Amino acid sequence: METTFEDKLRAIRDTAARRQAEDLKSRADRALARSELLIETCDFRKRVEGAIEQKVRQFGAATSDFVLSRSCFDGQYMLALRTIDKPYSRLSFMLRVDSEKGTMTLSCRKTVRNRDLEKVVTEQSLDGDGLSRIEAMVEAQFMDFARAYFD
């Protein structure tokens, strides 16, 4: 039995429609996975930001010379504790999340009375252990800054 021209066209069209549906589902699945990863990285950044804000509040109880500012610097989200008056002092935390690698890089810059202190950088995984290590680093940087500032 010979297939008619219309049957051949219908088979081509049906094959293309199945392939397009499979491709669409594949792209949708990849987009969903990327969006879930972005949500996880944003949640992690919020937890780190919360840990920094808690230390800012505790530090603020010791002195009222500082204000907290938020901005973007060099492609990173930055929280900076800065003096209101001169001489200039600051404690800045820059957060960069790499969702592809599943890591966060946290940089800390300190300036006390117009003098820059060492810059500290850590890269940690976006899990509970990484968060614990970042929180410990944040606390250590606040302690180093306080020793230098109140000395």
Side-chain angles (χ1 to χ4, degrees):
M1 177 171 180
E2 195 173 305
T3 307
T4 65
F5 179 73
E6 289 87 11
D7 291 336
K8 291 177 185 177
L9 286 175
R10 190 171 315 131
I12 291 170
R13 185 190 66 214
D14 291 346
T15 301
R18 276 193 307 275
R19 195 173 341 119
Q20 287 175 349
E22 290 169 1
D23 186 46
L24 180 62
K25 179 174 178 0
S26 174
R27 285 186 306 199
D29 289 345
R30 285 193 309 270
L32 181 60
R34 275 194 314 270
S35 65
E36 288 172 349
L37 184 59
L38 288 174
I39 289 170
E40 289 173 18
T41 58
C42 287
D43 288 344
F44 189 85
R45 185 198 55 81
K46 284 181 184 178
R47 288 196 302 267
V48 170
E49 186 177 353
I52 294 170
E53 288 175 337
Q54 178 185 12
K55 298 298 179 210
V56 166
R57 283 190 298 276
Q58 292 169 339
F59 187 80
T63 180
S64 61
D65 297 339
F66 291 86
V67 294
L68 177 66
S69 64
R70 301 163 196 273
S71 62
C72 288
F73 177 76
D74 195 25
Q76 302 173 77
Y77 182 67
M78 181 174 70
L79 290 113
L81 192 61
R82 302 171 191 260
T83 51
I84 300 168
D85 297 319
K86 301 222 184 263
Y88 180 71
S89 294
R90 65 149 178 192
L91 177 62
S92 303
F93 293 95
M94 281 76 65
L95 292 71
R96 182 185 305 262
V97 178
D98 186 339
S99 56
E100 299 288 320
K101 288 175 38 182
T103 61
M104 171 181 271
T105 302
L106 181 67
S107 305
C108 179
R109 295 181 180 179
K110 299 179 288 271
T111 303
V112 174
R113 293 180 187 82
N114 298 324
R115 190 187 79 214
D116 287 333
L117 304 178
E118 71 174 306
K119 176 182 174 181
V120 177
V121 179
T122 186
E123 181 177 84
Q124 299 295 332
S125 58
L126 300 176
D127 58 16
D129 289 338
L131 182 61
S132 296
R133 287 190 289 275
I134 286 174
E135 288 173 337
M137 182 263 210
V138 166
E139 182 172 328
Q141 294 311 303
F142 266 94
M143 293 294 101
D144 288 348
F145 181 78
R147 277 189 284 279
Y149 184 76
F150 292 116
D151 219 7

